[in-house]
Amino acid sequence: MVADSFLHQLAEAEAQLDSLTRLLLQGDATAYEAGALAFRQALAQLAHAAAEQPRPLSDAVGARLAQLARALAQQRDQLARRTVVVARSLAVVLPHKQPTYQAPGRRAGFSGAAPQIYSAPAR
């Protein structure tokens, strides 16, 4: 038998994920961040309630959990796609400039090798 507190927490997590989906479509980053925090808290409470449940869950509850997992995976994919669009838009607006300290034709970042002035052979 599934406890009412577990079903309540499951319904709360489902509602928070639906809200998070709406916030993603609105495009408000601050509201989305707050919604993500609320969703994380709902998932933590669901996990705590699940720890107190008997292991064989009913098929209906298992189906709801599977649907929640699928919806969360879709949310993650949508967020990844939106991140790519934003990154491409920023690349157009703010083009990447080569740093002045970087040798032409070399990658930016730390390679672990000594700087060019120190890697020349000794005379």
Side-chain angles (χ1 to χ4, degrees):
M1 180 71 188
V2 179
D4 289 338
S5 63
F6 177 77
L7 293 176
H8 174 71
Q9 292 302 328
L10 180 56
E12 179 66 24
E14 291 167 337
Q16 288 295 332
L17 186 58
D18 289 341
S19 173
L20 204 56
T21 301
R22 284 191 303 278
L23 290 171
L24 180 62
L25 294 174
Q26 289 175 359
D28 184 359
T30 306
Y32 185 83
E33 185 176 357
L37 178 62
F39 178 63
R40 262 182 277 161
Q41 290 172 344
L43 283 182
Q45 292 171 353
L46 177 63
H48 182 67
E52 300 170 358
Q53 294 306 305
R55 288 298 153 215
L57 293 174
S58 68
D59 291 339
V61 173
R64 285 177 66 187
L65 286 171
Q67 176 59 32
L68 183 66
R70 280 191 301 275
L72 184 56
Q74 286 177 334
Q75 178 82 229
R76 185 185 62 230
D77 292 344
Q78 290 171 354
L79 193 56
R81 282 193 286 279
R82 186 171 209 130
T83 300
V84 168
V85 169
V86 169
R88 286 180 182 167
S89 299
L90 283 175
V92 168
V93 175
L94 303 170
H96 178 71
K97 292 183 179 180
Q98 184 176 359
T100 56
Y101 54 83
Q102 179 183 354
R106 289 211 169 170
R107 275 189 0 209
F110 181 71
S111 65
Q116 185 69 33
I117 61 171
Y118 298 118
S119 63
R123 294 184 191 193

